[in-house]
Amino acid sequence: MVFNVFKGTLLALARERSILIWALAFPLVLSTMFVFMFANLDENAQLKPIRTVVVADAGYEAAPGFAEVMEALSEPGDGQLLDVAYASSEEEAVEIMRATDTGGSVFNSGVANEGAVGYVATDADGTPSVHVRGGVQPNSVDSANQSVLKTVVDNYLRSRTLIEDAARENPAALADAQAVSQLLGMSDFTEKIDVTRNPPKATVRFYFALLAMAALFGGQVGMIAICRVQPNLSALGARRALGAVSRARTLVATLGASWALSFACLLVAYAYVRVVAGVDFAGRDGACVVALAASSLLATALGTLIGSVAKIDAGVKGGLLSAVVCLSSLFAGLYGTPVMELADDLNAAFPLLELLNPATQISQAFYSIMYYDTFQRTAEHVAVLLAMTAALLAVSSILVRRQRYASL
């Protein structure tokens, strides 16, 4: 009998249009919007070759080894530092910079309307100098690129000075290639390491918050299901109240069916984010499924609690659940970068807010799965979700047990 109740509830809920809209269609639509919004955003956040104009005149040719340095730094490939366009004079270099500002492009990489950060000119003695554009914000990418370009020229001048000094003091030392290499070489006192398990990306946190919102909207399933078993809200609930199956078994079967459907919808949303949006967890999909199961269980408990409140219309309960989900998602940082930064500041200032916010706990669980080496943080977030679930179900059971009906 309990299995029949579970099966019947599951089939009835699967036919509910509002459940398919909020628990299944809405996350897919929002994920699709994110895919288009964030297209190439992570790629654009990476460092690009610095657009530079080089004045290739007689002075440029007279600078010993400078042309080879610029050609090596602008060689296409993973290590390309500069994207060089050549001009015959400083006036032409200025015109090229102006042309890129108005949509023209003579560079090999990037797109139009991204002008050169400056140009390099060499005087009659073969000494290069950097001329950068004005009006650049101090903390902008162009400002950093200008600093890199200056560093390139400064390093060339430093190396040339060292070689010239060595040639004057000990010309025989230049015959030793190893000595020259040590003279020009710069010791590397740092080691590049990855502090996270996966390379950080700016967009994945929005997908984590999206999964949290999708999970909580799955509470619609539990809310509708619990309303249907209440005799004063549903004819089906009235018949079941008079049936042979106890009320406790009916509630357990109903909650089980609600969780199963909510979990299935959330798995579809996760698969869409995983495959279509390309959010890669580097083989940790099993841990993600565990987090999804705990998240959908919490959502079911939340919907059950709201649905168990007596003397409130089902439409009002739906609005209340949507308000809770949207507010929780706000503090999880779903609604844009400024909101994400605000959420981070609030969570840092009020740790209890982060602890009690289910959307934040869900999104942080996925964050820890992607970036942490161990599952300790993930287990902590899942434990918090399960504790929330137990508390919500306990309150729901109290509310349901206190409900009495004079007539059905």
Side-chain angles (χ1 to χ4, degrees), residues 336-379:
T337 301
V339 178
M340 182 73 74
E341 295 175 352
L342 174 63
D344 291 340
D345 293 339
L346 290 175
N347 292 332
F350 306 100
L352 185 61
L353 177 64
E354 179 181 11
L355 182 64
L356 298 179
N357 187 348
T360 302
Q361 290 297 320
I362 295 172
S363 62
Q364 287 297 318
F366 288 106
Y367 184 91
S368 61
I369 291 173
M370 172 167 281
Y371 292 122
Y372 282 69
D373 292 333
T374 67
F375 291 110
Q376 178 181 352
R377 292 289 296 172
T378 305

